[in-house]
Amino acid sequence: MNTLLYSETLKLAPEDNHRLFNLCGKLNEHLKLIEKRLGVIIKQRGHTFSVSGDHVAVKQACDTLNNLYHETQKVPILESKEVHLYLQTVSKKLSQDDQDSHMEIRLRKGVITARGENQVHYIRSIMDHDINFGIGPAGTGKTYLAVACAVQALETERVSRIILVRPIVEAGEKLGFLPGDIAQKVHPYLQPLYDALHEMMGFEKVSQLIEKGVIELLPLAYMRGRSLNDSFIILDEAQNTTSEQMKMFLTRIGFNSKAVITGDVTQIDLNNRHDSGLVHAREILKNVKGISFSQFQIADVVRHPLVQAIVEAYEQQSKK
């Protein structure tokens, strides 16, 4: 027995053939992606679209077409990854109102938009607490959003410097064998943090701030003995800290400072996984007032669609 599909007709305005092509993508790849992700059928004639499927999915698809067509007015090329990221948010079908499912971090170079309930909760926790833990799989935006919050805090003068920290865990090669001074030696370990900063502030601006000491990028070992006031501190890859290192890091935090600790407990590179300072901190600090824990799930992955499937496959294997 056939199920009667709900249909809706949408006409996009103003008519602009270049924007229409941008919306549909080469060989209608964007329309096919929307069909696949939302489970609808899209038929197009010029700027008029007929969308069929489940009532809720049709409404989401029409909103998606409208919003992405509006986006084509701002960008010269609408890339497939942007369509995917937009659908990543839409397909969650969040029951919360717009305030709970949407949040923006406004920077001088642009706007960073939270995608989904857990990212919104994460950003709010960072704003409301002095110490925040972001734990979850790769690709969920833990580090990227933390850097965005740090840049916003610096640009609005809520802090006077940003300090980005990672543990240096060697995998078959001693750090001392790498050429250059200490900054050049640790650069490969800190590259993801550099990349986020360059995207949000620009290469020249980041270089100037690093030279002035407003932005510091440090290996975790260099935190010992310091007391950090008026700073936004991010400890990335925290699953590779020991319990002693985690305690040392957390006790460096001074007045008017904020710390965000990010990590993925499924990617521990220590010889003994049970030594992870992130796992230990989650157990003993979860009920401490003023400390927030944000847990990301596989569904929060916002990279290529295959990344989510890969993470899920590895997680299922680890449970066997």
Side-chain angles (χ1 to χ4, degrees):
M1 181 177 179
N2 293 328
T3 302
L4 184 62
L5 296 180
Y6 172 80
S7 296
E8 189 169 322
T9 300
L10 170 70
K11 185 172 178 61
L12 298 176
E15 294 189 4
D16 184 315
N17 289 333
H18 175 73
R19 288 175 59 188
L20 180 65
F21 175 78
N22 210 358
L23 169 68
C24 297
K26 295 180 181 178
L27 302 176
N28 287 337
E29 61 177 340
H30 296 164
L31 297 185
K32 292 175 183 176
L33 179 57
I34 295 170
E35 287 181 318
K36 181 178 179 181
R37 293 293 296 277
L38 297 181
V40 297
I41 299 171
I42 300 176
K43 295 182 180 179
Q44 176 216 354
R45 176 172 290 182
H47 288 73
T48 301
F49 294 78
S50 175
V51 185
S52 303
D54 174 77
H55 187 280
V56 174
V58 168
K59 180 66 168 63
Q60 290 176 332
C62 289
D63 288 345
T64 297
L65 291 169
N66 251 326
N67 292 335
L68 290 179
Y69 190 68
H70 179 72
E71 192 68 19
T72 60
Q73 191 174 15
K74 306 175 186 177
V75 296
I77 298 177
L78 184 65
E79 298 183 6
S80 295
K81 68 176 183 179
E82 294 300 325
V83 179
H84 162 68
L85 291 174
Y86 181 89
L87 290 169
Q88 188 80 6
T89 302
V90 171
S91 62
K92 293 180 186 299
K93 301 180 182 179
L94 298 175
S95 59
Q96 288 78 7
D97 59 24
D98 290 341
Q99 185 178 4
D100 290 333
S101 61
H102 180 81
M103 175 170 281
E104 294 179 341
I105 303 172
R106 296 191 172 273
L107 309 176
R108 289 174 184 168
K109 282 184 67 68
V111 176
I112 307 296
T113 303
R115 302 183 183 277
E117 177 185 3
N118 285 335
Q119 287 197 357
V120 170
H121 174 268
Y122 181 52
I123 294 173
R124 286 190 176 147
S125 295
I126 291 175
M127 292 179 176
D128 294 340
H129 298 83
D130 289 337
I131 298 178
N132 301 270
F133 286 80
I135 302 173
T140 50
K142 306 181 302 293
T143 301
Y144 187 82
L145 292 176
V147 173
C149 289
V151 171
Q152 184 188 57
L154 183 67
E155 290 182 346
T156 55
E157 299 183 353
R158 295 201 301 273
V159 298
S160 61
R161 56 181 173 170
I162 297 173
I163 300 175
L164 307 175
V165 185
R166 289 186 82 174
I168 305 301
V169 177
E170 298 162 354
E173 182 180 30
K174 295 295 184 182
L175 191 61
F177 290 118
L178 297 176
D181 57 23
I182 187 62
Q184 293 169 322
K185 288 176 186 290
V186 302
H187 186 278
Y189 296 91
L190 299 171
Q191 189 62 50
L193 300 172
Y194 277 105
D195 291 343
L197 282 172
H198 291 157
E199 180 179 336
M200 296 174 196
M201 304 183 77
F203 183 85
E204 291 186 6
K205 182 65 174 179
V206 172
S207 298
Q208 292 172 0
L209 294 178
I210 290 176
E211 186 175 344
K212 294 178 180 178
V214 175
I215 296 178
E216 290 188 65
L217 300 102
L218 299 171
L220 180 58
Y222 278 54
M223 294 288 291
R224 189 173 298 279
R226 300 188 65 176
S227 181
L228 303 173
N229 298 318
D230 200 31
S231 304
F232 197 116
I233 314 152
I234 298 174
L235 172 58
D236 192 32
E237 298 291 340
Q239 74 274 6
N240 289 326
T241 64
T242 63
S243 298
E244 292 78 11
Q245 287 176 323
M246 180 63 75
K247 178 183 176 182
M248 180 271 290
F249 172 81
L250 292 173
T251 54
R252 300 305 93 203
I253 298 165
F255 295 104
N256 192 39
S257 287
K258 192 178 291 287
V260 181
I261 300 95
T262 68
D264 178 2
V265 295
T266 69
Q267 296 194 40
I268 298 173
D269 297 320
L270 301 173
N271 292 330
N272 187 343
R273 294 175 56 86
H274 298 291
D275 291 338
S276 173
L278 181 60
V279 174
H280 183 248
R282 183 172 60 179
E283 293 172 354
I284 68 170
L285 300 177
K286 59 184 178 182
N287 294 322
V288 176
K289 187 176 181 180
I291 298 180
S292 171
F293 285 83
S294 297
Q295 180 66 55
F296 291 91
Q297 309 297 332
I298 295 174
D300 297 311
V301 173
V302 290
R303 293 181 183 170
H304 190 285
L306 278 176
V307 174
Q308 185 171 327
I310 291 168
V311 172
E312 188 172 16
Y314 272 96
E315 184 172 273
Q316 291 175 350
Q317 175 64 30
S318 67
K319 293 178 180 179
K320 295 181 179 179

